[in-house]
Amino acid sequence: MLATRETFGKNAVNKDREIPKRNDLKHYNHAVAGHDGTMCDADGELFIKPCTQSEVEFYESAHALHPDFAELMPLYIGTLSLGEDIDHAAIHARIPDLVEHADIPSPIKEEIQSHLHLEDRAPIVEAPVEKKGIISENDGLAPSKARKITTDRAVVLENASFGFKKPNIMDAKLGIRLWADDAPVEKKSRFDRITEETTHKNFGFRVAGMRVYNGSADKSELDEEGFKIYDKDWGREDVNENNVIESFKKFIFNEVAGIDKELGKTIAGLFAQDLRKVQEVLEREESRMYSSSLLFVFEGDGEALRAAIDEAKAMAVVSEHRRGSTRAPIANHRVDSGIGISEEEINDTTVTEDFDELDEDDLDEESSFPHIYTVKLIDFAHATWMPGQGPDENVLLGVRSLLKIFEEMSE
């Protein structure tokens, strides 16, 4: 497990922000691949995504039965019931009870609760969280027969892009086959054409969308927040097997934003390390996912990125000093985002074991670990567990291809 902010408190919440008071939910504007209907709170910490019941069950079963897989997913808070009479304020009022019942580490729960302005929220009659028993490998996890996502359920997740000053975001959709067994014939044909015409065919993925801070010297190409947006058509029509690495460099290397060659190589190397972890987990699991994605996020402002790395180094020194020489220094396990650390140190199992022994006080102390980068597996509308069927080679092809690309950019 990487000892970045992801492990110190498992995506713990920044202590300096406040969740806004009621009526402050809004539509999420950082979705780079056309995910309609998603919402977040005013500062973007909690991500509310309408989904099918099968996707809810996949999150629940991963959390209960597949902890290594769950670590690859955004932090799962719980579910909400939606309906025509449920507006943003009503959803906002339900969040405290959902957080109270969430099966998440106590430091994270306490931080979220400290921002909820509980005294300003009207009580609700129904709890938003369904209490279920442990989900078995096969209960309710067959592909849904619905042809469109029903909007009466939503998952509440911690937003992977929250806490960054200027988050660069890339959505890489995985697989050669993009459709589930229950897809209509027309959809299968349409998705097969997309595979044939894009990098899905030979690489097992395509860029579904991308946003890059100061991604162009031409200000007319930037949005109101200073980002250059690469939409799904760019990933389909402009990115091909001959220019795929050059296309990825637009995401990583950006002198205009203060991310020079060496800093970009560092970020590419960190993404490569996380992709190795993703590959290892997926090779052990027996799942099938269609049209799922890997979401890559890192700090796109070069000055803020360097400051975050410096802060991480300083925290590593303090952490090592506090623990003393009787315990392996946690700083050796990627606390400094990989700068100056060898593969031998990264793979030192004594360091991993030492981290596993951290108590909640340790996690609470590290909950404000600086935001440098993150990689998350997302979109499980067509995902299921397949015991006895082996790993998902359809998805793994894309993961391995992405790993090779980021490794090459880090060299």
Side-chain angles (χ1 to χ4, degrees), residues 31-240:
V32 295
H35 298 282
D36 295 331
T38 56
M39 294 175 287
C40 63
D41 70 321
D43 287 341
E45 180 180 6
L46 299 179
F47 183 73
I48 301 168
K49 177 182 180 290
C51 64
T52 61
Q53 181 60 31
S54 63
E55 186 166 4
V56 171
E57 290 168 352
F58 192 79
Y59 270 104
E60 295 276 4
S61 60
H63 186 73
L65 301 171
H66 303 266
D68 290 341
F69 192 102
E71 286 287 341
L72 306 179
M73 308 165 85
L75 181 66
Y76 175 65
I77 306 296
T79 66
L80 287 171
S81 296
L82 304 178
E84 293 182 2
D85 59 337
I86 301 296
D87 59 12
H88 286 183
I91 294 172
H92 188 66
R94 289 171 179 262
I95 288 176
D97 192 66
L98 183 146
V99 174
E100 174 62 29
H101 291 86
D103 182 16
I104 58 178
S106 294
I108 303 176
K109 180 181 294 187
E110 290 167 4
E111 282 303 318
I112 295 176
Q113 289 174 327
S114 72
H115 302 145
L116 287 178
H117 299 290
L118 298 178
E119 70 279 3
D120 296 320
R121 296 183 185 239
I124 57 173
V125 176
E126 293 184 63
V129 180
E130 287 187 13
K131 293 297 183 182
K132 297 182 179 180
I134 296 296
I135 299 172
S136 74
E137 292 284 352
N138 296 308
D139 286 347
L141 293 177
S144 170
K145 300 298 182 183
R147 300 310 185 195
K148 60 186 293 187
I149 291 180
T150 58
T151 56
D152 61 346
R153 302 295 293 170
V155 287
V156 180
L157 312 169
E158 189 175 25
N159 179 14
S161 66
F162 173 75
F164 294 87
K165 181 180 179 181
K166 296 292 183 181
N168 283 359
I169 303 173
M170 181 177 67
D171 182 317
K173 191 167 290 294
L174 300 171
I176 296 177
R177 173 181 157 179
L178 303 175
W179 43 267
D181 292 339
D182 64 332
V185 173
E186 182 278 329
K187 184 175 183 179
K188 292 179 180 180
S189 298
R190 176 162 49 88
F191 279 18
D192 284 344
R193 286 196 301 272
I194 292 173
T195 292
E196 284 294 319
E197 296 169 357
T198 67
T199 53
H200 278 296
K201 181 178 181 180
N202 294 323
F203 289 85
F205 77 88
R206 81 169 190 277
V207 179
M210 195 165 80
R211 68 196 302 264
V212 181
Y213 179 61
N214 275 345
S216 174
D218 182 353
K219 299 299 183 183
S220 67
E221 296 183 355
L222 306 179
D223 68 8
E224 64 276 6
E225 297 181 73
F227 288 88
K228 181 168 183 177
I229 306 300
Y230 296 85
D231 62 15
K232 63 181 181 181
D233 291 333
W234 178 79
R236 289 183 185 180
E237 300 169 5
D238 295 341
V239 181
N240 56 59

Side-chain angles (χ1 to χ4, degrees), residues 167-411:
N168 283 359
I169 303 173
M170 181 177 67
D171 182 317
K173 191 167 290 294
L174 300 171
I176 296 177
R177 173 181 157 179
L178 303 175
W179 43 267
D181 292 339
D182 64 332
V185 173
E186 182 278 329
K187 184 175 183 179
K188 292 179 180 180
S189 298
R190 176 162 49 88
F191 279 18
D192 284 344
R193 286 196 301 272
I194 292 173
T195 292
E196 284 294 319
E197 296 169 357
T198 67
T199 53
H200 278 296
K201 181 178 181 180
N202 294 323
F203 289 85
F205 77 88
R206 81 169 190 277
V207 179
M210 195 165 80
R211 68 196 302 264
V212 181
Y213 179 61
N214 275 345
S216 174
D218 182 353
K219 299 299 183 183
S220 67
E221 296 183 355
L222 306 179
D223 68 8
E224 64 276 6
E225 297 181 73
F227 288 88
K228 181 168 183 177
I229 306 300
Y230 296 85
D231 62 15
K232 63 181 181 181
D233 291 333
W234 178 79
R236 289 183 185 180
E237 300 169 5
D238 295 341
V239 181
N240 56 59
E241 60 183 74
N242 297 317
N243 68 10
V244 63
I245 293 179
E246 291 303 312
S247 299
F248 270 65
K249 288 180 179 179
K250 298 177 187 293
F251 178 61
I252 295 292
F253 300 100
N254 187 359
E255 292 276 3
V256 176
I259 301 176
D260 60 18
K261 185 175 181 180
E262 290 307 310
L263 191 54
K265 284 183 176 181
T266 297
I267 296 300
L270 294 172
F271 280 138
Q273 179 182 305
D274 274 29
L275 284 167
R276 293 186 197 104
K277 173 68 173 178
V278 173
Q279 178 180 332
E280 290 170 4
V281 172
L282 293 183
E283 286 175 343
R284 294 195 302 267
E285 295 286 357
E286 295 182 304
S287 60
R288 294 295 182 270
M289 296 177 285
Y290 301 103
S291 291
S292 293
S293 293
L294 277 170
L295 189 73
F296 298 83
V297 185
F298 77 99
E299 178 55 65
D301 181 285
E303 183 178 353
L305 178 58
R306 291 181 187 277
I309 291 173
D310 289 343
E311 183 182 352
K313 288 181 175 180
M315 290 178 67
V317 171
V318 171
S319 178
E320 179 179 350
H321 176 74
R322 185 177 71 83
R323 288 174 175 81
S325 59
T326 60
R327 300 176 68 182
I330 222 166
N332 283 354
H333 195 61
R334 231 37 177 186
V335 167
D336 69 346
S337 296
I339 296 175
I341 295 180
S342 68
E343 281 298 314
E344 289 77 10
E345 289 174 312
I346 292 169
N347 294 321
D348 184 353
T349 57
T350 63
V351 176
T352 305
E353 290 166 0
D354 183 69
F355 173 76
D356 289 339
E357 294 174 1
L358 290 178
D359 57 27
E360 289 193 349
D361 289 338
D362 294 312
L363 293 175
D364 187 44
E365 176 185 328
E366 305 295 349
S367 64
S368 59
F369 199 79
H371 295 71
I372 298 172
Y373 79 107
T374 188
V375 181
K376 290 296 176 184
L377 193 60
I378 63 171
D379 295 340
F380 306 104
H382 305 288
T384 186
W385 308 107
M386 298 291 287
Q389 299 301 307
D392 189 347
E393 292 296 336
N394 182 56
V395 163
L396 276 165
L397 173 61
V399 173
R400 293 170 184 140
S401 296
L402 287 162
L403 173 57
K404 289 179 182 178
I405 290 170
F406 279 105
E407 284 179 335
E408 182 169 333
M409 288 193 297
S410 71
E411 296 172 351

